[in-house]
Amino acid sequence: MQLEAILKKYWGYDGFRPLQRDIIDSIMSGHDTLGLMPTGGGKSITFQVPGLAFESGLTIVVTPLISLMKDQIDNLRRRGITAVMLNSGMTVAETRVAWERLTNGRARFLYVSPEKLRNAFFIDELRRLPVRLIVVDEAHCISQWGYDFRPSYLRISELRKVHPSVPVLALTATATPEVAEDIMTRLAFRSGSRKFKMSFSRDNISYLVRPSENKIYDIYHILSRTEGSGIVYVRSRRKTREIAEFLNASGIVADYYHAGLSYETKTERQNAWQSGAIRVMVATNAFGMGIDKPDVRIVVHSDFPPSLEEYYQEAGRAGRDGKKSYAVLLVSKSDKGTLRRKLKLAFPERADIRRVYESACNFMNLAIGEGYERLMEFDFELFCETFHFQRQQALASFHLLSQAGYLDYIEETENNSRVMITVDREELYHIDASPAADLTLQCLLRQYPGLFSDYVQINEGRIGRATDLDQETVYNALLELNRKKILIYVPRRRTPYVFIPTSREESRYVQIGKSIYEDRFEVMSKRVEAMIDYAYCSDSCRVSRMLAYFGEEKACECGRCDVCRSRKSAPSHVTREDMIRRVWKYMQMYPSGITQTVLEHNFSPDDRLAGDALRYLVEEGFAVEDHAIFRLIEYC
């Protein structure tokens, strides 16, 4: 089948986006290929279409996030495309079923976490599979100079040894020229390899930086003056709730999202936001990966991301439909120092790192010399409480220990419940089960197709609503059916793991080398300073500044960012008296008050004159100030 026909049949598109066809042709010709495509550029099409174009065989996709795996597999299955995954959160039975599908040729795509590549058995089994393409998603993770380096990605080279003639496709949305070259080197790209780079410029997005003295009020003001779906990014879980509650109280329908919420809660809120029932999601960076919502009109950053790579990726979730959208970064005087302090906290003293390693091994009851290639459940919160570690210090130490090869902390292992029926359809007519179990089974058969051939994700709450049973009764009914061997029930669980790639060392021999510590600190410092430079320097176009960071020269200024807008605004000749009247009328629109920063922004380029008018109104008793919020007297 021709490539365009596959695209039309499974995705409904009449043609490829820019660069997609070039990358696909390169792969089909057997070339190792690097694709640099910005967020929303359609990276998955570049390997899913050729994976189906091969008459037979398997496409292996290495991706770091389990949630991303699930999303892509669900999307493929909805299109009638067979795919399986292998990751550390799966049971032995689930892994066995996945391998059966692979060896019987009943899957076209295998999604695998990079940690699985450490398993010698897994690598040996791959020799027997007809692999036609190897895909490395989020490929910047393989570079030590990338912003999200993961040592487990270095094991991808083992796949090349098993299938040396199979082409490799590496994909990333954010990579500097140095990181791009490092990716190709680490993946041992062969002679004749090709690199395709889509422009990082998003012409429909206006990148704006706004000074802010009271961010929560400014967030409300920005959202109240724009339409459509939005995301507000913060860097703490507490702030997500506080801002969402404030927005709701102010008349903007919002909810919050962070990694600490239950699977059901996260799914419900994500679905509500995707459907438009919730206009604004206030979230940490846990929200967004794998979410394909094209009509996001605005993304506001209340807190600084630690790098331009992360800012670009998060801000790029706006305007995927190509329509006019906004990315706003709120900046206070203290943000610069906060970002630099966080960088230092990410590099604890070496003695503290060794103490965390020793405590973690003790927590897992590992003796010296034990633990080689073991995967163990790890209650991180209990660990910190037991050994009196601050959460941030322990996480930073784990990250550096991972890069040094001593342990990998795998936090994202939350799995929703799964079920597979293990008896024939005829046997279901003769089962002896309680009324609740029988009702639950009938509901499963009605609402979840494919139960006889594979594990299917289920939701006990949904079953309860459909059967008028409470969730505990549904849970016990599923356990009963599991005991009677009618089905296999894997309850939802949320358990972090620690993988020990090497036997436990004495802490005094734990080495955090210069490349892991000093060199890495220097690289991260440059990223932080680039982020600060983007936010605080207003002498050149924001977009040009960002593109230069990614090694792309822009011929002219964007004309849409706040810097370009301010240059296009011609100086006015408004008198002081006129401005006082205008500020008075403007403040009447906001009975609850307004910050001086927001007011001055809306009177640019006459912001100084507007500020003088505001001070006049306060001094003459027409307005009052309360915690940096200004209100007219008649509204107080």
Side-chain angles (χ1 to χ4, degrees):
M1 187 183 296
Q2 292 184 344
L3 297 171
E4 282 77 9
I6 293 173
L7 184 69
K8 181 67 175 178
K9 177 181 178 180
Y10 291 102
W11 284 272
Y13 301 141
D14 294 320
F16 292 100
R17 294 184 189 177
L19 230 66
Q20 286 181 332
R21 183 59 194 260
D22 295 326
I23 293 173
I24 292 171
D25 287 342
S26 176
I27 295 165
M28 300 298 289
S29 300
H31 298 289
D32 292 335
T33 306
L34 173 63
L36 303 172
M37 303 176 71
T39 301
K43 292 190 293 295
S44 59
I45 292 290
T46 63
F47 62 85
Q48 289 172 350
V49 168
L52 294 173
F54 294 122
E55 293 182 1
S56 62
L58 182 70
T59 295
I60 297 178
V61 185
V62 182
T63 187
L65 298 175
I66 295 174
S67 59
L68 213 54
M69 278 189 212
K70 292 176 180 175
D71 289 341
Q72 292 213 10
I73 287 177
D74 288 344
N75 287 333
L76 288 171
R77 287 176 176 173
R78 280 194 291 270
R79 292 179 167 88
I81 301 169
T82 55
V84 299
M85 65 178 173
L86 291 170
N87 61 66
S88 55
M90 296 170 60
T91 65
V92 173
E94 287 178 296
T95 302
R96 184 171 61 250
V97 170
W99 274 114
E100 288 174 357
R101 292 173 69 88
L102 289 169
T103 54
N104 292 331
R106 292 167 52 210
R108 299 301 300 272
F109 295 88
L110 167 61
Y111 282 78
V112 61
S113 60
E115 290 77 23
K116 293 292 291 185
L117 303 180
R118 297 180 183 274
N119 188 299
F121 171 79
F122 173 78
I123 295 297
D124 286 339
E125 288 295 299
L126 285 182
R127 298 179 191 278
R128 300 193 291 125
L129 299 179
V131 178
R132 299 295 301 275
L133 175 64
I134 297 170
V135 181
V136 184
D137 200 9
E138 307 296 333
H140 56 268
C141 294
I142 202 171
S143 172
Q144 189 171 341
W145 315 120
Y147 76 93
D148 193 21
F149 172 57
R150 302 190 181 205
S152 53
Y153 258 60
L154 298 175
R155 305 289 294 188
I156 296 174
S157 59
E158 297 296 321
L159 291 178
R160 301 231 64 169
K161 296 176 183 177
V162 175
H163 295 286
S165 61
V166 172
V168 170
L169 170 62
L171 295 167
T172 181
T174 49
T176 61
E178 294 78 13
V179 169
E181 290 301 316
D182 198 29
I183 290 170
M184 298 173 75
T185 300
R186 298 279 185 177
L187 290 173
F189 270 30
R190 298 166 298 176
S191 175
S193 64
R194 298 179 178 177
K195 178 172 73 173
F196 297 93
K197 181 179 179 181
M198 185 182 292
S199 173
F200 284 89
S201 178
R202 297 282 300 279
D203 292 339
N204 64 310
I205 299 179
S206 297
Y207 290 91
L208 310 172
V209 174
R210 291 284 179 261
S212 177
E213 298 167 358
N214 193 319
K215 291 188 177 183
I216 195 167
Y217 284 98
D218 289 344
I219 289 168
Y220 163 73
H221 178 74
I222 291 166
L223 293 172
S224 66
R225 292 171 63 86
T226 55
E227 297 180 351
S229 283
I231 307 173
V232 177
Y233 278 113
V234 296
R235 309 304 282 191
S236 82
R237 297 178 181 182
R238 175 181 55 80
K239 284 185 181 179
T240 61
R241 180 194 289 257
E242 290 176 353
I243 295 174
E245 289 176 348
F246 176 82
L247 292 176
N248 279 307
S250 304
I252 295 175
V253 181
D255 214 330
Y256 64 94
Y257 185 108
H258 57 70
L261 298 174
S262 68
Y263 176 83
E264 287 83 3
T265 300
K266 287 192 288 189
T267 301
E268 288 174 5
R269 293 181 183 181
Q270 180 175 318
N271 291 340
W273 180 75
Q274 294 244 28
S275 67
I278 294 170
R279 182 193 164 199
V280 176
M281 188 66 76
V282 186
T284 61
N285 62 350
F287 182 75
M289 290 295 287
I291 292 176
D292 187 16
K293 184 173 172 62
D295 60 344
V296 178
R297 297 276 72 87
I298 185 163
V299 174
V300 180
H301 276 79
S302 178
D303 297 328
F304 273 41
S307 69
L308 271 175
E309 288 95 332
E310 288 165 87
Y311 179 68
Y312 176 82
Q313 197 165 52
E314 292 167 10
R317 287 167 189 144
R320 292 192 177 189
D321 56 4
K323 297 180 181 179
K324 186 176 180 180
S325 305
Y326 299 90
V328 183
L329 175 64
L330 296 178
V331 177
S332 70
K333 294 178 181 178
S334 63
D335 285 334
K336 189 184 302 185
T338 300
L339 198 57
R340 287 169 175 157
R341 283 193 299 273
K342 286 183 177 179
L343 173 63
K344 291 181 180 179
L345 291 173
F347 288 83
E349 295 293 329
R350 282 185 168 90
D352 293 330
I353 298 172
R354 294 188 183 98
R355 189 163 61 89
V356 168
Y357 173 77
E358 183 177 26
S359 300
C361 291
N362 291 338
F363 188 69
M364 293 182 289
N365 295 315
L366 290 178
I368 301 295
E370 290 184 348
Y372 178 71
E373 289 196 347
R374 285 180 63 180
L375 184 70
M376 304 180 70
E377 291 187 7
F378 194 89
D379 189 329
F380 181 78
E381 303 301 332
L382 180 60
F383 167 72
C384 292
E385 182 181 333
T386 302
F387 293 95
H388 309 292
F389 287 119
Q390 292 183 351
R391 191 176 192 277
Q392 189 173 9
Q393 178 194 29
L395 279 175
S397 297
F398 276 11
H399 184 66
L400 292 168
L401 287 165
S402 171
Q403 294 187 13
Y406 290 101
L407 59 81
D408 284 338
Y409 176 59
I410 307 167
E411 186 173 16
E412 194 219 5
T413 54
E414 182 173 36
N415 289 283
N416 52 329
S417 303
R418 286 97 71 198
V419 161
M420 184 172 74
I421 294 177
T422 55
V423 298
D424 296 333
R425 291 182 181 272
E426 292 75 15
E427 294 180 65
L428 293 178
Y429 294 104
H430 309 290
I431 65 169
D432 179 23
S434 67
D438 185 63
L439 196 60
T440 298
L441 180 59
Q442 295 304 317
C443 181
L444 284 171
L445 293 169
R446 285 194 306 270
Q447 297 200 13
Y448 296 99
L451 288 164
F452 290 90
S453 59
D454 202 352
Y455 284 86
V456 176
Q457 298 179 7
I458 66 166
N459 186 304
E460 291 88 344
R462 175 183 170 187
I463 295 170
R465 290 188 292 272
T467 58
D468 289 328
L469 300 173
D470 61 73
Q471 197 159 330
E472 185 176 356
T473 302
V474 172
Y475 174 73
N476 289 326
L478 290 166
L479 289 178
E480 178 186 339
L481 294 169
N482 189 81
R483 286 194 301 271
K484 293 179 180 294
K485 301 188 183 304
I486 296 165
L487 52 76
I488 299 176
Y489 171 49
V490 184
R492 182 183 66 82
R493 63 176 180 173
R494 182 186 178 132
T495 309
Y497 290 89
V498 165
F499 178 77
I500 315 294
T502 185
S503 303
R504 177 182 176 178
E505 300 269 3
E506 288 188 42
S507 59
R508 58 179 172 167
Y509 295 131
V510 171
Q511 298 295 319
I512 310 296
K514 180 177 179 292
S515 63
I516 301 296
Y517 200 89
E518 285 85 1
D519 292 352
R520 188 76 182 158
F521 181 83
E522 183 178 348
V523 169
M524 296 303 293
S525 296
K526 290 179 180 178
R527 286 202 175 87
V528 165
E529 294 306 317
M531 187 71 229
I532 290 172
D533 178 70
Y534 170 83
Y536 286 93
C537 292
S538 57
D539 58 351
S540 64
C541 169
R542 306 278 181 199
V543 173
S544 295
R545 221 173 185 85
M546 191 185 307
L547 294 180
Y549 178 79
F550 289 115
E552 183 177 336
E553 296 297 330
K554 190 171 180 64
C556 58
E557 297 183 337
C558 74
R560 298 176 307 277
C561 71
D562 58 294
V563 176
C564 291
R565 287 183 177 188
S566 66
R567 289 177 177 174
K568 288 194 295 185
S569 301
S572 65
H573 303 284
V574 180
T575 66
R576 182 170 183 267
E577 290 72 20
D578 286 340
M579 181 59 75
I580 291 171
R581 284 193 291 270
R582 288 174 59 188
V583 169
W584 169 274
K585 289 181 179 180
Y586 186 80
M587 292 181 69
Q588 287 180 322
M589 297 167 55
Y590 296 93
S592 60
I594 191 171
T595 67
Q596 181 173 342
T597 303
V598 170
L599 183 140
E600 290 177 348
H601 165 64
N602 284 279
F603 283 88
S604 178
D606 300 308
D607 48 355
R608 291 184 180 179
L609 200 56
D612 290 340
L614 180 61
R615 285 189 289 275
Y616 169 84
L617 292 173
V618 173
E619 291 167 1
E620 295 298 319
F622 296 106
V624 295
E625 179 185 4
D626 180 22
H627 293 92
I629 302 299
F630 294 86
R631 302 179 183 87
L632 292 179
I633 292 292
E634 61 185 275
Y635 291 109
C636 295

